Amino acid sequence: MPRILLQTTIPFVEDDWHIGRFSRLTAHLASLPDAEVTARDRAVPGGQTDPVLGGLAASDFDQLWLFAVDVGDGLNAEECAAIGAFRARGGGVMITRDHMDLGSSVCSVGGVGEAHYFHSSSLDPDPDRNCRDDVETGYIDFPNYHSGSNGDWQPVQVVGEVHPLLRDEDGRALDRLPAHPHEGGVGAPAGVGEARVIATGASTVTGRPFNLAVAFEGGAGQGRGLAQSTFHHFADYNWDPRDGCPSFVSEAPGDGMLRDPEALRQTQRYMTNLARWLSGG
């Protein structure tokens, strides 16, 4: 039975993206017949070592789903090293973040962390992609890709051969994920042959394509990994905007996910695929 840890990079704050705002994902994964799920926030502020994250390599978890919702002070060096050691001993790791520098503490996580581009460091090597697409929130600088309103869904384009994460039960490719007004930037790190971009979206403002997901195949004892452009693909508010959001979210939500049950079904299928794939299935 795979043991899955869903973990944020912040201590609990009611008016923030605490782990309770990912309850629909938690419930979906817990409903899988072969999964045991633990969902938690940090027990201590950033700068101090969280006992679970710091001891991850020696734990009996099989997967880490890390939601980097901090403003740069989430993970410390000891925790980043522990996550790297966890993957080195075969653990599966998914790391996701959001726009600009939100979640930039993951930069020091080798491999999957290096697939994330941030405004203040690790810029996308393609300068044409270091742009701000969403003009409604002018205080949010690049990377900032507008794939649609929270509560709506976005079309997904498969890159290359259809990856197992994007394959539906009938063999066809999944083509929908939740949208977000300002997604972050990800890409395959240079010289890492096991990593490739598997899906792209497109800005609804400029039409510019951007990467949604980078898969790391692992091997030689190392676990698989995934870098995802935004944690909003996983959040309750983006699956069903009636669940609410922190007060600092200023954009009006859409209702595309509510009007189109197929979008939610495909999103849940993606999550099922991810849980199985990270465990080597």
Side-chain angles (χ1 to χ4, degrees):
M1 173 185 295
R3 299 194 66 213
I4 302 172
L5 173 61
L6 305 183
Q7 173 77 53
T8 70
T9 56
I10 59 171
F12 175 81
V13 175
E14 178 60 42
D15 194 28
D16 208 337
W17 294 107
H18 58 78
I19 199 63
R21 297 192 186 276
F22 299 87
S23 65
R24 291 178 178 265
L25 171 67
T26 303
H28 175 72
L29 294 178
S31 74
L32 301 179
D34 56 350
E36 179 180 328
V37 182
T38 298
R40 68 186 296 274
D41 296 302
R42 292 184 63 90
V44 294
Q48 302 177 43
T49 298
D50 180 86
V52 174
L53 285 173
L56 196 61
S59 74
D60 56 1
F61 287 112
D62 302 297
Q63 300 179 21
L64 168 66
W65 296 40
L66 185 68
F67 306 103
V69 297
D70 61 272
V71 293
D73 58 349
L75 300 178
N76 63 29
E78 185 177 353
E79 292 164 342
C80 289
I83 294 170
F86 173 75
R87 184 168 174 242
R89 62 91 159 156
V93 175
M94 187 284 294
I95 299 178
T96 186
R97 39 69 70 89
D98 202 26
H99 58 256
M100 198 173 168
D101 284 331
L102 194 59
S104 60
S105 66
V106 304
C107 282
S108 297
V109 179
V112 183
E114 295 169 338
H116 289 274
Y117 303 135
F118 293 97
H119 185 76
S120 298
S121 62
S122 306
L123 296 182
D124 191 322
D126 182 347
D128 290 338
R129 291 201 293 260
N130 290 318
C131 300
R132 184 178 69 207
D133 285 349
D134 178 26
V135 296
E136 183 178 350
T137 48
Y139 59 91
I140 299 176
D141 215 323
F142 67 84
N144 176 345
Y145 301 108
H146 193 300
S147 64
S149 298
N150 294 311
D152 284 338
W153 60 269
Q154 63 175 304
V156 173
Q157 298 294 322
V158 171
V159 177
E161 182 181 355
V162 180
H163 192 273
L165 290 178
L166 295 166
R167 195 172 295 282
D168 211 340
E169 291 180 285
D170 61 4
R172 292 184 293 183
L174 301 174
D175 59 11
R176 303 173 199 187
L177 280 174
H180 181 52
H182 26 78
E183 303 203 22
V186 294
V192 182
E194 58 152 343
R196 75 173 178 96
V197 175
I198 63 170
T200 61
S203 167
T204 62
V205 176
T206 65
R208 179 186 291 109
F210 66 95
N211 299 333
L212 293 174
V214 178
F216 292 72
E217 296 299 331
Q222 183 170 236
R224 290 171 170 171
L226 183 74
Q228 194 88 5
S229 60
T230 176
F231 63 78
H232 286 276
H233 297 159
F234 304 83
D236 293 352
Y237 183 56
N238 295 80
W239 292 21
D240 188 333
R242 296 173 297 185
D243 286 348
C245 61
S247 62
F248 52 75
V249 176
S250 59
E251 305 90 355
D255 62 356
M257 294 290 288
L258 295 175
R259 289 186 291 104
D260 185 359
E262 174 65 9
L264 178 59
R265 186 199 69 80
Q266 288 202 25
T267 298
Q268 292 173 326
R269 179 66 193 184
Y270 183 83
M271 304 306 161
T272 299
N273 288 349
L274 179 53
R276 293 173 177 170
W277 180 77
L278 284 177
S279 286

